[in-house]
Amino acid sequence: MSFRAPSLAQTLFVVALFVALTLPLFASAYYLQFASKVLITGVLAMGLNLAVGQGGMVSLCHGAFFGVAGYILALATPGYDAAPLLATLPLAVLGSAGLAFLIGCFALRTRGVYFIMVTLAFGEMLFYLFHDSGIAGGSDGAFINARPDILIAGRQWLNLDKPLVFYCVMLALTAAVAGLLAMLVRSPFGHALAAVRDNERRARSLGFPIFRIRLSAFVISGGLAGLAGYFAAAQFGFVAPQMLSWHVSAAALVMVLIGGLRSVTGPLIGALVLTGLEEVLKAEFENWKLIEGLIVILLVIVLPGGLRQLGLLTTWAPRKEVAPASGAGRA
Amino acid sequence: MSLMTFGIQLLNAFQYAMVLFLVASGLTLVFGILGYINLAHGAFYMLGAYLAYWIVAKTGSFALAMIGGTAIAFVLGVILERTLVQRLYGRDHLMQVLLSFGLILVLDDARQILFGKDVHAVAPPSWLGGTIQLTDNLSYSVYRLAISAFCLAVAAAMFWVIARTRIGMMVRAGAENREMTRVLGIGFDRLNRYVFAAGIALAALGGIVIAPISTVFPGMGDGMLILSFVVVVLGGIGSVGGAALGALLVGITDTFGKVFFPSISSILVYLLMAAVLVWRPSGLLGRGEI
Amino acid sequence: MTRNRRPLLITRRSLLSGAASTAALAVASPFPTPALAQNAPLKVGLMLPYTGTYAKLGQFIDDGFRLYVEQKGGKLGGREIAFVQIDDESKPEAATDNMNRLVGREKVDVVIGTVHSGVAMAMVKVARDTNTLLIIPNAGANDATGAACAPNIFRTSFSNWQTTYPMGKVMADAGIKNVATITWKYTAGKEMIDAFAENFTSHGGKVLAELTVPFPEVEFQALLTQIATLKPDAVFSFFAGGGAVKFVKDYAAAGLNKSIPLYGAGFLTDGTLPAQGEAAEGIKTTLHYADDLDHPANVAFLKAFKAKTSNDGDIYGVQGYDSAALLDIGLAAVGGDATARDRMIAAMAAAKIDSPRGPLSFNKAHNPIQDIYLREVRNGRNARLSVAQAAVNDPARGCKLS
């Protein structure tokens, strides 16, 4: 770090961090819940970015990983009682990761546009599976009547019903995920992944096991999406097949775009911007979809590098030029 | 199941497949020639249906709806290509996905502003309004037969254009090897524009044609989008013949699935797709990496 | 806002404005306060589908509610009414979020909603958790006034069970021995068909096949062909909105209406007749309303509705209208003080409303007790044939309220 005065980007980042940490002091329960929601979608977006930004795999089925974890919680919650968090959380994350493994085995045999479409189709297949079958309520969804908790020796060590507790848990989790991803990106695995993304042919000639590297990244990414989905279900107390729809994946992709593809924590900012934008737009305009659509189009055309292009963001991940798309086009 | 019933179900499957082919062919052309992934394809299908409703409501003529609706969609396609899509050729597929996602949001709300949020019915042209008695208690709508015939005609026309005309030759060249075609100086920009517009127009035409036998409602684009994707993946990107084959497979699977396996009929189509992909990762008639 | 007198470089307010990015967008929005004072307007939150397949239904409910309030000079129970509107888009997955926005952010005093049963159940859950007063103007999910019933939850529409149960006896009495049913595969569809089948089979009828289509698909060809093969005496179906339009038209186009009469829940032909046209003529349905009911309340309602919206009133408008009437009764009993919740609920539970649909009262689970009419489509209107069953009371299975 140099001795220059901190840039605008860095100042904003510190301020945002400060706000996040002190939020419980001045925000009402509603806004604490809103912040939790932002963090949950942030984790989803960060997980997705491992596959998309670092791995160059544009996936439209991450909604499925997100939703499946939620459904696992719903199915594991006994009636009106709380499910044990320590047992169901790993179950849900492993479930999503396992699903990512299965889909990845199929999808990663294809490239480019095919890959995108195959993930889209598999995502939709899972959507219809939950929508049309009798699993947990079909198209109307299912309720989770009590939030998962940690019950050891008769005492409740964690009660997620309080918005404050939920928020703190989410904050800790988000930090952990960001840390994990930052480590991953800097590790040999992360470098190999980037190599495969940037120039597959050369990576192959250098002896990298392309398929395995991609699959690993895809599976981890899916597991993280599952983590987000578990807590989303816990927060809303409700799961519906629409959680698995490709619209969820697409929205997460927009967040990744806003935050910048190469950044680890960028998607978190993207989540904040998009969720906050929707909140404001929905309250003010009847035709909010039109405005949101126009903004997305504008972003794609004018700001493909995300907010970083405006110099508004900084990141703790290794600083890298956003490579021109030619190399990154191949999935 | 009696032979008669089997035959009728086959007819149902065929008619369903034909409309699916019409919409999917547009998608596969845009993919194959332009290498552009257009998730908004379903939104144009919906737009076509609403245009049909609106034009028939204003003028009473279905023929006018067909011609006018397709023309409007074509022009819209040209405009979109020129202003937005053109900037994304050769760019990351991610950008194309996001652009089309944004387009879906815009088109959805635009449709709401222009045509409202109501559910509509469109009457088929009176000379096609009758029915044909198939069995003692079941008759088949003449219009449905007419749709199948019409889609077959469009398919034949497309094959002829692609195989026998100069434009078709350029299209084939572009599908085969985009870089080389550009290097050879073939007027690519204009070709791209018209191919994209044609793709959009085909989707809209599918919506127009199906409006009298479906209902025109806001969510109709989403289901058709996914199905056309499956058809294109099955048949192979860029191959119109593949789209036809894929559509037939999907139509048969869906129709007979509904009858024999009603609880899992919707996922049968995806299982079919997975099976085909295991056997042939580029689709049945596909040509490999895009 | 209090002034900060301590000489800090960074005050709380400057921090907030310093987070100039969208964090401020979310946090700096005005914090609405609940209408505590008796003179402040009562905040009514309307959570309805203003877009999507059920948009027309949502709009009519909204119109009906506002019509009643207008007729009372903008006041219910003597209290001014302020409206907050949220579009639920008939999406169950966004329902909890939207409801939380109404209750947590806008801090409304009462919520009116919605059409789609899945969305409504999510609303019921939040209402129970936050003890918010909820009046359901349409969604018929049996559980809302069944297993999930609560003192603060009311319904002015129907339960799915209620509307189709009477048809079982009607069809059995008409000499129909075997029936094929067809509907969408979701909670509402299942509950409607189950209630019909329960009554029909108890009168000796037989259900040959229970056909289903995934919701909200409208491709019926394969199943229509199957119906033709099965050759039942009649078909009983439930569809609503766009799906109802298509099904009725497809049924006629396949010529089945000539040999196999079509019966259905009233939603098959309510709000859909102009689009269905000829194809709907002769279809018999059961519902708690008919277009030509001649009680004075209905005549007056239809006239006023037409004057306000230039549309013909229908059951959805009536249900919205009655929701306002119910709230009026509750507020009047407490002189406009919505915090006197127990007295308000007691008054509402005992309410007897002279509704456009006929006499309306409520059972212990707060579901309407009402007459169910048998109707037939004649000349583009649902004409009342007879009362299929009078004062139908939903059994409120699983409800623990006494």
Side-chain angles (χ1 to χ4, degrees), chain A residues 78-96:
Chain A
Y80 283 88
D81 300 318
L85 183 131
L86 292 173
T88 50
L89 178 58
L91 188 66
V93 172
L94 281 172
S96 296

Side-chain angles (χ1 to χ4, degrees), chain A residues 2-18:
Chain A
S2 70
F3 289 116
R4 295 188 327 247
S7 66
L8 175 65
Q10 286 172 317
T11 319
L12 279 177
F13 187 82
V14 171
V15 166
L17 198 63
F18 192 72

Side-chain angles (χ1 to χ4, degrees), chain B residues 96-182:
Chain B
Q96 298 173 354
V97 165
L98 289 171
L99 179 72
S100 31
F101 180 64
L103 261 176
I104 292 178
L105 292 172
V106 170
L107 285 171
D108 223 19
D109 249 10
R111 185 264 315 145
Q112 186 174 309
I113 295 171
L114 289 171
F115 304 123
K117 32 191 161 179
D118 219 341
V119 168
H120 297 291
V122 178
S126 42
W127 61 282
L128 287 174
T131 56
I132 298 180
Q133 199 73 22
L134 288 179
T135 69
D136 55 349
N137 62 354
L138 189 65
S139 47
Y140 205 77
S141 150
V142 168
Y143 184 72
R144 280 182 189 260
L145 291 171
I147 292 180
S148 307
F150 175 74
C151 292
L152 271 174
V154 170
M158 274 205 299
F159 276 116
W160 183 81
V161 164
I162 290 180
R164 298 245 187 259
T165 63
R166 191 144 174 255
I167 289 187
M169 190 166 62
M170 291 197 277
V171 164
R172 269 181 293 141
E176 198 82 41
N177 193 328
R178 208 175 306 131
E179 298 301 318
M180 188 58 83
T181 325
R182 188 178 283 131

